């Protein structure tokens, strides 16, 4: 699935995100350092072909979400966590192909990506509401038929992941569906939850090289893009699952019964030694579908 097919306008979104992030991003965002370093850069990393995106998992999302759209019992949807409009675009595409029109809430703790989602929704005449909330404190007034997101659970430290699963369960109606993907990496260690120093340096050079070859995705010279890549690499962390069993158990303990789980391996646009969390790097992902029970 390409960005073009999804009707996304990546270049304008990248420019808008870098303009809005210094103003809208929450000071208490990622790592307590504000989240502008993340939300300003992510859409630009997409333009440079270096972001981890839902597109890699597009066939899975298309198939599963498309079949829920066809079934007719999943009209109320929540997207929990969205770095830009990419995941929203996947959901809308799957529904529109079936001639179905869902109502979608997009929840994020930061207003910057929500603005990108709101713009996308306005441009594609979709029924979307954006909600600024920490998902761990999110108390929706209605239950959803479907909750979906891309690589979200792995952004939470392992100790917080059961709380996220419990929030998901509470926000779904009984019989509702959770569809997502999560990285599985038995080699991950708490000692290095992000980029190693050599990976950070190589990533900075990779971003600078892409800017040189392709042009800057938004304002700034090559040096400033190298600095943004360094700041990203210094702060970005992820908390993948050690095994498929760990993921299945965590969901089951929250009342989310896994119906389907496929493991998929991907190569990256960046090599493992020049990339880290949130980037288009090699890795193994669990593609999973769970049903809210009880
Ligand atoms: C969905 S995740 C992974 C990004 C992904 N590549 C995507 O497709 O959107 C990224 C988003 O999660 C949001 N986020 C992280 N922790 C959150 C929390 N506790 N509550 C709400 N949003 C959160 C961040 O603000 C960010 O926009």
């Amino acid at each position: 699935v390409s960005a073009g097919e999804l009707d996304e306008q990546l270049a304008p979104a990248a420019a808008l995100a870098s303009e809005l992030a210094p103003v809208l991003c929450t000071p208490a965002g990622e790592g307590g350092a504000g989240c502008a370093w993340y939300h300003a850069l992510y859409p630009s990393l997409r333009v440079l072909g270096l972001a981890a995106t839902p597109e890699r998992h597009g066939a899975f999302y298309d198939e599963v979400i498309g079949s829920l759209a066809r079934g007719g019992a999943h009209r109320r949807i929540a997207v929990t966590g969205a770095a830009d409009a990419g995941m929203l675009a996947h959901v809308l595409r799957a529904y529109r192909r079936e001639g179905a029109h869902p109502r979608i809430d997009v929840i994020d703790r930061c207003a910057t990506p929500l603005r990108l989602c709101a713009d996308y929704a306005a441009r594609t005449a979709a029924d979307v509401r954006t909600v600024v909330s920490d998902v761990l404190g999110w108390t929706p007034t209605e239950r959803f038929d479907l909750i979906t997101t891309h690589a979200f659970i792995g952004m939470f430290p392992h100790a917080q992941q059961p709380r996220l699963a419990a929030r998901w369960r509470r926000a779904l109606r009984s019989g509702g569906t959770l569809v997502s993907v999560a990285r599985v990496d038995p080699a991950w260690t708490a000692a290095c939850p992000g980029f190693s120093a050599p990976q950070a340096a190589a990533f900075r050079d990779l971003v600078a090289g892409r800017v040189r070859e392709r042009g800057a995705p938004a304002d700034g010279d090559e040096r400033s893009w190298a600095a943004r890549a360094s700041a990203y690499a210094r702060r970005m962390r992820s908390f993948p699952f050690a095994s498929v069993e760990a993921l299945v158990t965590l969901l089951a303990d929250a009342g989310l019964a896994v119906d389907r789980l496929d493991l998929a391996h991907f190569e990256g646009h960046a090599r493992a030694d020049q990339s880290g969390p949130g980037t288009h790097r090699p890795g193994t992902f669990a593609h999973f579908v769970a049903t809210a029970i009880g």
Side-chain angles (χ1 to χ4, degrees):
V1 183
S2 73
E5 280 177 84
L6 293 162
D7 205 14
E8 288 192 84
Q9 296 182 345
L10 293 185
L16 184 62
S18 38
E19 195 184 307
L20 292 178
V23 184
L24 292 183
C25 275
T26 156
E30 318 297 331
C35 51
W37 60 270
Y38 177 83
H39 286 123
L41 189 64
Y42 179 85
S44 290
L45 288 180
R46 283 190 74 191
V47 172
L48 296 173
L50 293 173
T53 65
E55 278 141 292
R56 277 213 287 197
H57 315 280
F60 164 72
Y61 285 126
D62 263 5
E63 182 202 331
V64 174
I65 298 177
S67 113
L68 297 175
R70 252 189 322 281
H74 291 78
R75 287 289 179 269
R76 276 299 279 137
I77 301 174
V79 175
T80 57
D84 70 354
M87 191 64 219
L88 177 61
H90 277 76
V91 175
L92 284 167
R93 179 174 181 270
Y95 272 75
R96 283 178 168 151
R97 277 178 158 182
E98 302 300 331
H101 300 283
R103 279 193 62 203
I104 306 178
D105 282 12
V106 186
I107 293 90
D108 202 282
R109 66 182 171 193
C110 176
T112 302
L114 295 180
R115 179 61 196 284
L116 302 184
C117 290
D119 280 9
Y120 180 85
R123 193 159 50 74
T124 60
D127 187 359
V128 172
R129 183 170 63 166
T130 57
V131 181
V132 178
S133 173
D134 186 319
V135 81
L136 296 181
W138 176 47
T139 46
T141 49
E142 51 184 314
R143 301 272 179 125
F144 295 91
D145 304 314
L146 165 63
I147 294 180
T148 187
T149 179
H150 167 252
F152 185 53
I153 194 165
M155 296 197 78
F156 291 78
H158 291 117
Q160 287 182 7
Q161 289 174 355
R163 286 174 58 202
L164 172 62
R167 284 284 161 180
W168 275 339
R169 172 62 194 90
R170 213 182 312 164
L172 282 168
R173 66 163 162 83
S174 188
T177 309
L178 172 70
V179 179
S180 193
V181 306
R183 188 176 169 93
V184 177
D185 182 2
W188 180 91
T189 65
C192 185
F195 289 66
S196 67
Q199 282 171 327
F203 181 65
R204 176 201 60 210
D205 294 346
L206 179 65
V207 169
R210 291 262 166 131
V211 167
R212 197 159 52 238
E213 287 156 21
R214 302 183 180 191
D219 280 352
D221 60 13
E222 194 183 309
R223 270 184 58 192
S224 86
W225 286 94
R228 287 175 230 192
S230 287
Y232 176 94
R234 198 163 54 245
R235 292 183 170 132
M236 189 62 181
R237 304 203 176 338
S238 74
F239 306 90
F241 286 86
S243 67
V244 161
E245 292 71 29
L247 170 61
V248 171
T249 304
L250 183 132
L251 294 173
D253 287 351
L256 296 162
V258 172
D259 307 316
R260 168 175 169 180
L261 190 150
D262 313 316
L263 269 188
H265 183 80
F266 297 98
E267 295 308 321
H269 293 163
R271 301 188 311 267
D273 65 338
Q274 55 181 181
S275 58
T279 67
H280 203 287
R281 59 179 170 158
T284 300
F285 286 82
H287 290 167
F288 62 91
V289 181
T291 298
I293 50 169

